[in-house]
Amino acid sequence: MNKKQSNEQRIEENNMLKLFSVENFRCFGKKLTLDLSANDYAFNSDIVKNKLVNKAIIYGKNGTGKSSLGMALFDIIFHLTDKEKKPAYYINYRHLDSDNQIVTFNYVFKFEEDILEYNYQKLDVNNLYQEELILNGELILKYNYFEKTANYIDKKLLNGLNVDLIDNKLSIVKYIYRNTPTNSVPVITKMVKYCEKMLWYRSLSNGNEYFGYTNGGSLLSEKLYESGKLKEFVAFLKENGLNYNLKFELLNGTHQLVAVFNNGKALFDSIASTGTMALYLYFVWSISAFNDVSLLFIDEFDAFFHFESAASIVNKLNECKDFQVFLTSHNTYLMQNKFTRPDCCFILTDNKITSLNNATSKEIREAHNLEKMYINGAFNG
């Protein structure tokens, strides 16, 4: 990495999501706000960065909207990026009890010393209603696709660009980004590049689903082969109590991962348990994306993990300083100050998401047992 790349990397490491809110999306009829402002706890400071939550675990009963929160957060990639998308997840877009036809999203980013607020409204996942950018408290763009006479765009953003033909399927922000020099609108460049590096994934019993970050997909075995990290994967499995002798074989034009035994061999995918495949998926994403991802959202990340494996993954992610992580879980064993802290642990219930420290009037200290407090009803949400 040359000096210029190193400086750019350090700048990107300080780009973070500060606040997110959504209204009238799926199960969120009323406005729901996720505030990532950190408290001043003296312990576990490594999971907080720039006074913002860098590693979050989100809890909630079935049906409270943990998955919907991830989908809402990643709605932005549909109109700002060309990365992998899952339109089928967004079929039931609006809150079905609402007469309101507009779904509203609000993102507040911290880019170095700048605070950029990006507000937009949609009619559905592919049709925008309005976009708005506010930089350090000053409106720099407001564009309504149906009432264009009142629109405002700071001339410095346009750089002579004609935007008269923009329709509501094409984001004005993306259009400016694609058609102006990147150094003329650096804050828009930062935001779009941040969004292009967002990754959502979850492990399913029959495979892997993801959107954001990249395009298309290849076999996990092919990605592992290309990385050259087979020995590291074997060691990773051993850390989680799994001992395999693994090698690659070229079958039908692809490099397949094969488990070797005393009296034979088998394709790894064919004998691995669902939990083992979930570990496999995590490892492949960690070696292929964690070097430059901006925000990682793993839905039901430990659904197939033993609690010790789940704890191990949390510890590994906590060591990744350069990107924000959001995990959804039902595993209260992770609700301990050795893994998290009260301002990094959230409860989602009744169209509201609240960190543990804001869900109680009691002062929480490092010695407190968060899991026990939660089970005993100490947090009101």
Side-chain angles (χ1 to χ4, degrees):
M1 180 182 293
N2 61 39
K3 185 174 181 180
K4 181 179 179 182
Q5 289 173 322
S6 179
N7 289 336
E8 288 178 351
Q9 181 66 27
R10 281 196 292 270
I11 290 172
E12 289 182 3
E13 288 170 3
N14 289 316
N15 296 342
M16 299 183 70
L17 180 67
K18 187 174 187 288
L19 181 144
F20 171 73
S21 65
V22 62
E23 183 176 0
N24 200 33
F25 176 80
R26 292 174 62 93
C27 64
F28 305 127
K30 296 180 291 185
K31 184 176 182 179
L32 177 135
T33 299
L34 173 63
D35 187 346
L36 296 168
S37 301
N39 209 318
D40 57 356
Y41 294 111
F43 58 95
N44 288 353
S45 59
D46 57 333
I47 63 174
V48 168
K49 187 176 180 180
N50 299 329
K51 299 182 179 180
L52 297 173
V53 172
N54 201 34
K55 302 291 182 282
I57 304 177
I58 300 168
Y59 289 89
K61 296 180 180 179
N62 292 330
T64 55
K66 299 186 298 300
S67 295
S68 290
L69 175 61
M71 293 176 203
L73 186 59
F74 276 71
D75 181 272
I76 195 170
I77 73 168
F78 277 83
H79 62 276
L80 287 190
T81 82
D82 298 319
K83 302 302 182 180
E84 187 75 12
K85 303 172 179 68
K86 296 292 182 189
Y89 282 16
Y90 293 80
I91 292 175
N92 296 313
Y93 195 71
R94 291 183 290 108
H95 186 67
L96 296 180
D97 278 337
S98 174
D99 293 328
N100 187 1
Q101 299 297 307
I102 296 173
V103 182
T104 301
F105 300 84
N106 168 246
Y107 299 75
V108 180
F109 298 99
K110 186 177 189 300
F111 295 137
E112 289 294 291
E113 301 304 319
D114 291 325
I115 301 298
L116 179 68
E117 183 175 350
Y118 178 44
N119 306 312
Y120 67 85
Q121 298 173 316
K122 283 184 172 180
L123 301 174
D124 57 47
V125 70
N126 294 314
N127 288 279
L128 287 150
Y129 181 78
Q130 180 171 287
E131 291 180 86
E132 181 181 74
L133 285 172
I134 300 172
L135 178 60
N136 299 323
E138 180 181 349
L139 179 70
I140 59 173
L141 181 149
K142 185 172 184 178
Y143 196 88
N144 187 298
Y145 292 86
F146 298 90
E147 300 175 14
K148 296 186 178 182
T149 56
N151 288 343
Y152 169 76
I153 304 176
D154 190 316
K155 292 182 179 179
K156 289 181 289 187
L157 301 183
L158 293 177
N159 199 32
L161 184 67
N162 185 350
V163 297
D164 291 341
L165 299 178
I166 299 294
D167 64 41
N168 72 324
K169 293 184 183 297
L170 174 61
S171 162
I172 182 69
V173 172
K174 182 179 179 181
Y175 185 76
I176 292 172
Y177 169 72
R178 295 293 190 197
N179 293 280
T180 57
T182 56
N183 59 356
S184 66
V185 196
V187 72
I188 291 181
T189 299
K190 289 178 183 179
M191 182 177 73
V192 175
K193 285 188 173 181
Y194 182 96
C195 294
E196 287 178 337
K197 294 182 177 182
M198 292 169 60
L199 170 65
W200 177 103
Y201 88 82
R202 69 178 172 190
S203 180
L204 302 175
S205 58
N206 60 347
N208 152 43
E209 286 193 332
Y210 83 95
F211 45 91
Y213 187 72
T214 187
N215 297 99
S218 58
L219 294 174
L220 295 181
S221 59
E222 199 68 56
K223 287 188 175 182
L224 182 58
Y225 174 80
E226 292 170 357
S227 74
K229 294 186 179 294
L230 179 59
K231 290 183 179 179
E232 289 85 348
F233 178 55
V234 171
F236 172 73
L237 291 178
K238 191 170 184 178
E239 289 175 14
N240 288 277
L242 299 164
N243 292 291
Y244 281 99
N245 179 13
L246 299 176
K247 69 174 184 177
F248 287 106
E249 290 189 2
L250 189 61
L251 302 171
N252 299 321
T254 61
H255 294 93
Q256 297 284 352
L257 190 60
V258 174
V260 180
F261 301 92
N262 290 335
N263 295 308
K265 60 185 179 180
L267 290 176
F268 182 71
D269 292 12
S270 70
I271 60 170
S273 69
T274 304
T276 302
M277 288 301 294
L279 289 170
Y280 186 15
L281 178 61
Y282 168 81
F283 184 84
V284 171
W285 275 123
S286 73
I287 60 176
S288 61
F290 289 6
N291 63 321
D292 68 343
V293 70
S294 61
L295 183 152
L296 174 67
F297 194 107
I298 311 179
D299 194 24
E300 300 181 50
F301 91 102
D302 56 347
F304 305 112
F305 289 159
H306 184 272
F307 73 92
E308 290 180 348
S309 291
S312 175
I313 296 299
V314 168
N315 283 330
K316 287 182 181 298
L317 288 170
N318 285 348
E319 294 172 359
C320 300
K321 313 298 183 187
D322 301 334
F323 58 92
Q324 287 175 287
V325 176
F326 298 85
L327 307 173
T328 68
S329 178
H330 293 286
N331 184 358
T332 59
Y333 173 76
L334 300 173
M335 198 181 282
Q336 300 185 55
N337 282 326
K338 64 180 179 179
F339 303 122
T340 184
R341 49 186 249 179
D343 53 344
C344 297
C345 202
F346 294 82
I347 301 172
L348 178 57
T349 183
D350 298 329
N351 209 119
K352 182 180 180 182
I353 186 165
T354 312
S355 61
L356 294 187
N357 64 297
N358 289 326
T360 179
S361 58
K362 297 179 180 179
E363 180 183 356
I364 306 178
R365 299 178 181 175
E366 184 175 7
H368 280 123
N369 187 321
L370 300 179
E371 181 184 23
K372 185 176 181 180
M373 292 175 67
Y374 176 73
I375 293 172
N376 290 333
F379 303 113
N380 298 317

